[in-house]
Amino acid sequence: MTTTAVRKDGPAAVTPTPTVGGHVRNYLSRVRGGDVGALPAVLGLIVLCTVFAIMRPSSFLSAGNFANLFTQGAAVTLIAMGLVFVLLLGEIDLSAGFASGVCAAVLANVVTVLGYPWWVAVLAAVATGVVIGTTLGMLVAKIGIPSFVVTLAGFLAFQGVVLLLVKDGTNISVRDDVLVAIANRNLGPTLGWALTALAVVGYAAVQLLRHRNRAARGLITDPIAVVALRIAGLAVILGTAVYVLNLERSRNVLIVSLKGVPIVVPIIAVLLVIWTFVLQRTSYGRHIYAVGGNREAARRAGIGVDRIRISVFVICSSMAAIGGIVAASRANSVDPNTGGSNVLLYAVGAAVIGGTSLFGGKGRVFDAVLGGAVVAVIENGMGLMGYTAGVKYVVTGVVLLLAASVDALSRRRAAATGTR
């Protein structure tokens, strides 16, 4: 069955009516051609949750542990969201972890030592991230030093900067109520439901408007049933999550009540929407993909390649600053280990595990959120099962290797089938 779209400048063009069966066949064809997207990460997350739920049902499936997953993986996820932009160009930022530590140390000094308001401290931390990103980007784009070398130097240097800012090993407390609330407080149940409804309605409006505009221009659209299924799926997922998070998690409600969506969740959600819009709906985002796909072709097309390369490092370090703020909030302090240890490894792993390619040109900000969930589930679930840190590192490394292998194999498959 077909519909006819009439064009003013020529004969009528026949556009196939989209069907659910055709949509499924097209998706399976893309997967066979190497375009697996986030499918491996989604399947991996389902398998991991199933295993931990079977092994530790009372602890892993509890409302308290569900909330812990969000706060536990928030800082890494935010840093990974910034790393996606750098990875899209086929570059790397090894300094992102300690850059977050530097920005967190600036935050702690401004708010605690100097006594400025919380918003001044936040602006100072983000501004520090912008300066770091601009410096790294200029060295890579203008001088031509490989990003691996530049950011490795930053990785080493920023460790020293953190030590200097925290006075050679002292702990700087963060006691400001607003800053502490970011990773340690929850929204009220009613506000959580209201934001969920707003998110679902907004997503539905975007999906339906996109479907209508494409149909009006005679372009191939997804079946309306598939669009409706996406909206319903989001509503079910968000509704279930909010319901669980609104359950009482306190061991003694007479002393304190603990329920609601963690404040850090809508912060991540807002940043996810903003950066997704930037990548998918702006010319700047299209230029990032173009430079990542073929830098020389992008240059010949008139795209300011150097400007794009500098800007992604600025975004990466700015997101690292936000991640550092969340880490300082969760710990209520900043010390020499803030941003160190496994932070960088987990952040890079989250971006890659979620589906962002190490070879550039392929990835979404949502990949970082999905990969961050996988990393958080591994760390959380294995901790509940009593495994040591060494085992956690091994398992996370294996998962990262599998994700990179899937990326490499899918690219090879795509090249063989001519889909790239």
Side-chain angles (χ1 to χ4, degrees):
M1 179 179 178
T2 59
T3 57
T4 301
V6 180
R7 296 173 53 185
K8 296 180 180 180
D9 57 345
V14 178
T15 303
T17 299
T19 63
V20 175
H23 181 82
V24 172
R25 287 191 295 271
N26 288 337
Y27 175 74
L28 294 177
S29 177
R30 292 198 304 271
V31 171
R32 287 193 295 269
D35 184 11
V36 295
L39 180 61
V42 173
L43 294 178
L45 185 60
I46 293 173
V47 170
L48 288 168
C49 289
T50 302
V51 170
F52 293 135
I54 294 173
M55 300 297 292
R56 291 290 186 274
S58 60
S59 53
F60 184 78
L61 295 178
S62 67
N65 189 62
F66 187 54
N68 286 339
L69 285 171
F70 288 102
T71 56
Q72 190 173 353
V76 167
T77 299
L78 288 165
I79 298 172
M81 290 168 70
L83 280 167
V84 167
F85 286 83
V86 174
L87 293 174
L88 281 173
L89 297 193
E91 306 283 1
I92 189 66
D93 187 354
L94 299 177
S95 68
F98 276 112
S100 72
V102 170
C103 297
V106 169
L107 173 90
N109 273 282
V110 171
V111 76
T112 300
V113 178
L114 300 180
Y116 284 96
W118 67 269
W119 58 270
V120 175
V122 169
L123 289 176
V126 175
T128 302
V130 171
V131 171
I132 290 173
T134 303
T135 303
L136 297 175
M138 292 287 289
L139 292 172
V140 172
K142 295 300 185 181
I143 299 181
I145 306 174
S147 60
F148 179 87
V149 177
V150 171
T151 59
L152 178 60
F155 173 84
L156 298 171
F158 295 154
Q159 294 183 61
V161 174
V162 173
L163 284 172
L164 293 173
L165 289 174
V166 298
K167 309 303 180 185
D168 292 327
T170 59
N171 184 299
I172 303 178
S173 298
V174 176
R175 299 301 183 192
D176 183 89
D177 290 340
V178 174
L179 294 178
V180 171
I182 293 174
N184 296 284
R185 300 287 185 272
N186 306 298
L187 301 175
T190 302
L191 182 56
W193 283 117
L195 292 178
T196 300
L198 181 63
V200 173
V201 171
Y203 180 76
V206 170
Q207 289 291 313
L208 293 174
L209 184 62
R210 180 173 180 268
H211 183 275
R212 188 190 69 176
N213 289 341
R214 289 183 64 86
R217 290 185 302 218
L219 301 175
I220 296 176
T221 63
D222 292 333
I224 190 64
V226 173
V227 176
L229 186 61
R230 288 179 186 147
I231 297 170
L234 180 68
V236 170
I237 292 172
L238 293 184
T240 303
V242 172
Y243 171 78
V244 174
L245 291 171
N246 280 344
L247 296 176
E248 184 59 64
R249 305 192 294 270
S250 176
R251 295 176 181 269
N252 191 338
V253 294
L254 297 178
I255 297 177
V256 62
S257 177
L258 187 62
K259 58 183 178 180
V261 179
I263 292 175
V264 74
V265 174
I267 293 175
I268 294 176
V270 169
L271 290 170
L272 172 63
V273 171
I274 292 173
W275 292 127
T276 298
F277 176 82
V278 168
L279 277 181
Q280 297 184 359
R281 293 289 183 265
T282 67
S283 59
Y284 171 72
R286 290 189 290 271
H287 289 172
I288 290 178
Y289 284 109
V291 174
N294 190 319
R295 187 179 303 170
E296 185 56 34
R299 191 187 309 276
R300 293 182 179 182
I303 297 175
V305 173
D306 287 350
R307 177 179 59 84
I308 295 296
R309 296 178 75 190
I310 294 171
S311 66
V312 296
F313 280 98
V314 172
I315 292 173
C316 182
S317 295
S318 299
M319 288 301 295
I322 297 175
I325 293 170
V326 171
S329 171
R330 185 166 186 259
N332 291 343
S333 63
V334 174
D335 58 53
N337 290 322
T338 302
S341 185
N342 55 13
V343 172
L344 171 67
L345 303 179
Y346 280 179
V348 175
V352 176
I353 289 170
T356 299
S357 175
L358 287 168
F359 303 99
K362 188 182 78 172
R364 304 169 301 167
V365 180
F366 181 70
D367 295 342
V369 177
L370 186 59
V374 172
V375 171
V377 166
I378 292 174
E379 186 176 17
N380 178 274
M382 299 195 74
L384 292 175
M385 294 178 66
Y387 288 107
T388 63
V391 177
K392 294 179 187 178
Y393 286 142
V394 170
V395 173
T396 307
V398 170
V399 172
L400 174 58
L401 182 60
L402 288 174
S405 299
V406 169
D407 178 34
L409 292 174
S410 64
R411 280 182 168 266
R412 181 181 299 178
R413 178 66 177 172
T417 57
T419 56
R420 276 187 65 86

